């Protein structure tokens, strides 16, 4: 449904000596299949928004090609616009008009006639649980309601692909769960949904497939389950009473450890090949050094561990 | 066709927004209204030299200038609204649709024209008690000149706003443009009082020509060539300004 090849974006600003350029997206390749929820996971500044805005025809790429539902992004932007919906992270509602007026206008901007636009708005308001607030001004809406109006606007022309930039950032847990349901409903209707997120649980629970992006490059791609399976070994979390730094150093030197990260609150995360045999060895190492162990726990790897393995950093920070 | 349809669509949206907060329209006429009542009487002696012997004559010279100033200033400040909509995502959300890019700007500019004309009507009505009676045909022609001026200044403002992309820079640029244009259009004082070199400079200011034509219409001097000259010049300026701003906008937003 979406094919991206060698997509690049360099932001240039300033002139002469003060000219600076930021390479925000460094040549990415991606294939997104029809009817899947595809997640673009990465920390702030990774290049998610840039990529999405390029795909939504809002920004021109510095290099590379993409086709969306068969339309070429560079040569047929009009066709692409008809085939896709896009919702920016900050949305685009106006304070002084009602949700209904916004949705009708959005439909009409796609060239839909007045009567049809009103009919579709009515249906969209019902589908997104907005009927009750339809005729109240947008400034009176909660964050979640506003976001639902944004998405209703994004799909009012029945696009094949919907791009959502961080659709749940800043929402409370309940609105977030509601939003996930809406996105799943759109997939059930056959839409391909491409979302960006910096939430691990969102990528894990909502997305059929994800690509992890960091510094403008894709570092991993696959289903969340495959990605987690790919990282060999397990993660052991150790909490010590004190001297976490020294414990980290000691454990890092041991042959069973494939990397240690010292976190807040005296917590250490170790990548090990086999957790069950490593645990007794870790306990012995710490005992030998006179460091008191509080808890020790074995986990299956999470997407954060995937990120950590691929980039050497944690996405949580 | 699509351009017209989309322009109408965007125009309606902006009219709706204007009608929901009409306070701005009224605030825009507050200053000219105060000028009308407080300062115009002081002008009678000054305007005597250009043939204003009665109070009503003085007002017929003063009010047209003020209306041109209103169209000029009212238009020049509209760029802030566009920067606001660029920042809050309204423009971005429109750009992902197939709506005409030019319509996004034109619909908005036409709303600005309506705002200015409404303000001009208010000022015209307020100046009736001072004896400013103008025949309806001349008045309508005068409003057409004012509409052309407002569309020009609004377009210039949008063009600059897109270029500078920053409200505080826009404020400075607009101030720097508005002041000389205002002074050199004799909107507050007719340039007949100015030295020759200043009048020569003012001849290059389209708004000065518009002010001359509007004065002729208000005085009832319908045979004055300044009238058709002002219409031609204002229309020319409007065409150039609209094309420039539309191109600047479409290029910046794709
Ligand atoms: N308009 C711009 N001009 C210059 N640099 C930009 C611009 N927009 C984004 N960037 C830079 O490009 C990089 C990627 O940004 P972005 O795509 O917004 O990341 P994300 O959405 O993943 O947080 C960042 O380093 C950001 O500072
Ligand atoms: Mg972003």
């Amino acid at each position: 449904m979406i094919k991206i090849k060698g997509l690049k974006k360099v932001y240039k600003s300033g002139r002469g000596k003060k000219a600076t350029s930021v390479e925000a997206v460094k040549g990415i390749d991606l294939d997104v299949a029809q009817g899947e929820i595809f997640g673009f996971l990465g920390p702030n500044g990774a290049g998610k928004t840039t990529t999405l805005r390029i795909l939504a025809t809002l920004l021109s790429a510095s290099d590379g090609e993409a086709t969306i539902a068969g339309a070429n992004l560079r040569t047929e932007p009009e066709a692409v616009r008809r085939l896709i919906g896009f919702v920016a992270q900050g949305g685009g509602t106006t304070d002084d008009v009602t949700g209904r007026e916004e949705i009708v206008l959005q439909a009409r901007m796609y060239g839909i006639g007045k009567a049809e636009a009103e009919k579709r708005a009515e249906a969209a308001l019902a589908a997104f649980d907005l009927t009750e607030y339809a005729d109240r001004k947008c400034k009176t809406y909660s964050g979640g309601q506003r976001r639902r109006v944004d998405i209703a606007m994004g799909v009012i022309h029945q696009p094949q692909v919907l791009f959502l930039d961080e659709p749940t950032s800043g929402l409370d847990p309940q609105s977030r769960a509601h939003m996930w349901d809406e996105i799943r409903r759109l997939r059930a209707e056959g839409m391909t949904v491409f979302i960006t997120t910096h939430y691990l649980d969102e990528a894990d629970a909502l997305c059929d497939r994800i690509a992890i992006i960091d510094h403008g490059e894709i570092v991993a791609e696959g289903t969340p389950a495959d990605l987690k399976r790919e990282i060999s070994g397990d993660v052991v979390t150790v909490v010590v009473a004190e001297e976490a730094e020294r414990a980290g150093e000691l454990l890092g030197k041991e042959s069973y450890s494939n990397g240690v990260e010292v976190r807040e609150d005296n917590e250490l995360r170790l990548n090990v090949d086999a957790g069950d045999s490593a645990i007794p060895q870790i306990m012995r190492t710490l005992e030998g050094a006179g460091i008191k162990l509080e808890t020790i726990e074995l986990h299956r790897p999470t997407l954060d561990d995937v990120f950590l393995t691929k980039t050497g950093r944690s996405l949580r920070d | 066709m699509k351009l017209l349809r989309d322009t109408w669509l965007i125009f309606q949206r902006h009219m709706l927004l204007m009608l929901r907060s009409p306070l701005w329209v009224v605030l825009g006429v507050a200053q000219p209204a105060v000028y009308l009542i407080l300062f115009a009487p002081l002008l009678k002696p000054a305007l005597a030299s250009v043939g204003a012997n009665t109070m009503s004559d003085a007002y017929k010279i003063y009010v047209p200038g003020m209306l041109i100033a209103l169209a000029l200033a009212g238009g020049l400040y509209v760029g802030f609204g566009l920067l606001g909509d660029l920042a809050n995502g309204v423009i971005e959300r429109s750009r992902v649709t197939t709506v005409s890019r030019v319509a996004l700007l034109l619909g908005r500019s036409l709303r600005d024209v309506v705002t200015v004309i409404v303000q001009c009507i208010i000022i015209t009505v307020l100046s009736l008690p001072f004896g400013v009676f103008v025949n309806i045909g001349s008045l309508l022609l005068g409003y057409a000149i004012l509409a052309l001026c407002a569309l020009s200044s609004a377009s210039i403002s949008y063009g600059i706003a897109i270029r500078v992309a920053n409200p505080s820079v826009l404020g400075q640029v607009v101030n720097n443009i508005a002041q000389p244009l205002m002074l050199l259009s004799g909107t507050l004082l007719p340039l007949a009082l100015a030295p020759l070199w200043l009048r020569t400079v003012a001849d290059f200011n389209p708004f000065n020509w518009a002010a001359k034509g509007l004065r002729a219409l208000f005085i009832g001097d319908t045979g004055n060539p300044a009238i058709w000259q002002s219409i031609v010049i204002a229309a020319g300026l409007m065409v150039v300004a609209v094309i420039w701003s539309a191109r600047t906008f479409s290029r910046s937003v794709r």
Side-chain angles (χ1 to χ4, degrees):
Chain A
M1 202 56 170
I2 308 176
K3 280 195 193 335
I4 307 173
K5 255 198 145 56
L7 200 70
K8 247 186 216 166
K9 180 69 193 180
V10 182
Y11 286 109
K12 290 203 166 77
S13 58
R15 282 192 198 119
K17 283 212 175 111
K18 276 195 254 165
T20 55
S21 70
V22 180
E23 207 177 346
V25 178
K26 299 173 183 164
I28 61 173
D29 302 308
L30 268 185
D31 268 316
V32 178
Q34 202 262 319
E36 69 181 356
I37 299 178
F38 187 87
F40 218 24
L41 174 68
N44 271 331
K48 304 183 294 293
T49 298
T50 302
T51 308
L52 221 58
R53 295 186 73 231
I54 291 173
L55 296 175
T57 75
L58 293 170
L59 200 65
S60 55
S62 308
D63 197 13
E65 290 290 325
T67 53
I68 300 171
N72 184 300
L73 188 64
R74 194 181 295 272
T75 57
E76 308 165 277
E78 281 281 317
V80 170
R81 286 184 191 123
R82 235 167 273 131
L83 292 163
I84 64 157
F86 168 80
V87 179
Q89 185 174 349
T93 45
T94 312
D95 281 350
D96 273 335
V97 292
T98 67
R100 183 195 303 278
E101 286 164 340
E102 284 293 44
I103 297 171
V104 169
L105 176 68
Q106 193 73 3
R108 303 218 59 209
M109 286 200 288
Y110 279 106
I112 298 166
K114 194 168 180 199
E116 172 69 13
E118 277 163 6
K119 216 171 74 192
R120 286 199 195 181
E122 192 65 55
L125 287 163
F128 286 90
D129 279 336
L130 289 161
T131 310
E132 204 182 316
Y133 328 100
D135 298 305
R136 268 175 27 193
K137 289 187 181 169
C138 290
K139 64 180 164 203
T140 66
Y141 291 174
S142 71
Q145 290 163 354
R146 235 174 206 225
R147 207 62 69 92
R148 296 210 299 283
V149 172
D150 285 323
I151 296 187
M153 290 197 286
V155 299
I156 199 66
H157 57 304
Q158 299 166 344
Q160 299 190 22
V161 179
L162 177 62
F163 293 100
L164 301 175
D165 198 4
E166 312 235 0
T168 67
S169 80
L171 296 188
D172 58 83
Q174 203 185 339
S175 310
R176 205 157 159 241
H178 194 163
M179 190 55 72
W180 285 6
D181 289 340
E182 302 287 4
I183 294 171
R184 291 189 181 113
R185 178 173 62 77
L186 293 170
R187 172 183 57 188
E189 290 169 9
M191 206 175 282
T192 306
V193 187
F194 190 131
I195 73 164
T196 72
T197 182
H198 64 270
Y199 296 122
L200 295 156
D201 58 336
E202 184 160 276
D204 211 344
L206 180 64
C207 300
D208 301 317
R209 240 155 40 83
I210 62 171
I212 299 180
I213 181 169
D214 188 38
H215 295 305
E217 284 170 308
I218 290 179
V219 295
E221 190 193 336
T223 67
D226 284 346
L227 287 175
K228 287 183 280 188
R229 207 171 304 129
E230 244 176 53
I231 8 177
S232 52
D234 297 324
V235 176
V236 178
T237 312
V238 177
V239 178
V240 292
E242 65 218 339
E243 297 189 278
E245 290 295 336
R246 188 162 74 91
E249 257 169 58
L250 282 170
L251 292 170
K253 285 189 207 131
E254 296 293 333
S255 57
Y256 54 78
S257 135
N258 297 334
V260 181
E261 186 204 1
V262 182
R263 302 187 149 206
E264 280 169 23
D265 301 326
N266 290 342
E267 190 186 284
L268 303 154
R269 282 167 79 91
L270 276 79
N271 291 330
V272 296
D273 289 332
D276 21 16
S277 67
I279 286 182
Q281 292 177 295
I282 292 167
M283 294 171 72
R284 233 171 290 134
T285 307
L286 291 176
E287 210 176 77
I291 296 171
K292 190 164 174 279
L293 180 69
E294 302 250 286
T295 61
I296 185 161
E297 219 178 312
L298 173 66
H299 321 238
R300 295 288 313 134
T302 64
L303 285 178
D304 198 22
D305 302 315
V306 177
F307 191 82
L308 186 64
T309 315
K310 302 282 182 182
T311 68
R313 290 177 295 121
S314 167
L315 190 54
R316 276 184 221 276
D317 306 331
Chain B
M1 257 335 279
K2 177 172 156 58
L3 174 64
L4 287 184
R5 174 203 179 268
D6 287 354
T7 302
W8 178 240
L9 187 66
I10 303 301
F11 171 73
Q12 283 174 305
R13 161 48 60 95
H14 286 289
M15 282 302 291
L16 179 74
L17 287 172
M18 183 183 93
L19 292 173
R20 293 227 167 124
S21 41
L23 189 62
W24 290 111
V25 180
V26 177
L27 284 180
V29 290
Q31 199 188 13
V34 168
Y35 277 24
L36 190 68
I37 291 157
L38 295 184
F39 295 105
L42 305 174
L43 289 174
K44 193 190 149 197
L47 295 176
S49 65
V50 289
N53 299 317
T54 64
M55 196 63 154
S56 133
D57 280 351
Y59 268 96
K60 281 181 181 171
I61 291 173
Y62 185 67
V63 170
M66 205 161 63
L67 294 178
I68 294 287
L70 191 61
L72 179 60
L76 280 179
Y77 285 91
V78 297
F80 291 101
L82 178 63
L83 288 185
D85 280 356
L86 279 167
N88 67 23
V90 171
I91 299 287
E92 184 143 301
R93 148 196 162 203
S94 314
R95 286 174 54 203
V96 292
T97 73
T98 49
V99 74
S100 153
R101 315 285 123 156
V102 173
L104 288 178
L105 199 65
L106 214 51
R108 194 178 257 282
S109 314
L110 291 177
R111 182 271 323 257
D112 303 328
V113 171
V114 171
T115 309
V116 165
I117 295 300
V118 168
Q119 292 174 332
C120 288
I121 292 173
I122 296 176
I123 294 296
T124 316
V125 170
L126 288 179
S127 50
L128 282 177
F130 302 101
V132 181
F133 297 107
V134 181
N135 95 39
I136 191 77
S138 300
L139 192 61
L140 290 179
L141 202 54
Y143 285 154
I145 295 174
L146 288 165
L148 292 171
C149 290
L151 189 50
S152 306
S153 58
S155 299
I156 292 169
S157 182
Y158 288 136
I160 297 171
I162 295 155
R163 285 279 166 100
V164 303
N166 174 329
S168 54
V169 181
L170 177 66
Q172 283 168 16
V173 175
V174 162
N175 279 335
N176 289 338
I177 291 179
Q179 276 171 4
L181 280 181
M182 211 86 105
L183 285 174
L184 289 176
S185 59
T187 52
L188 300 177
L189 275 180
L191 283 163
L193 303 174
L196 183 65
W197 68 268
L198 199 58
R199 271 182 276 161
T200 315
V201 175
D203 279 345
F204 289 94
N205 178 4
F207 292 97
N208 180 32
W209 288 91
K212 278 193 213 167
L214 200 60
R215 284 204 177 99
L217 285 166
F218 268 59
I219 291 166
D221 184 7
T222 45
N224 194 327
I227 296 173
W228 70 260
Q229 286 165 348
S230 72
I231 293 172
V232 170
I233 290 172
L237 174 68
M238 182 277 281
V239 169
V240 172
V242 167
I243 290 177
W244 174 68
S245 68
R247 287 179 60 157
T248 308
F249 182 73
S250 333
R251 208 171 291 155
S252 87
V253 304
R254 297 217 306 153

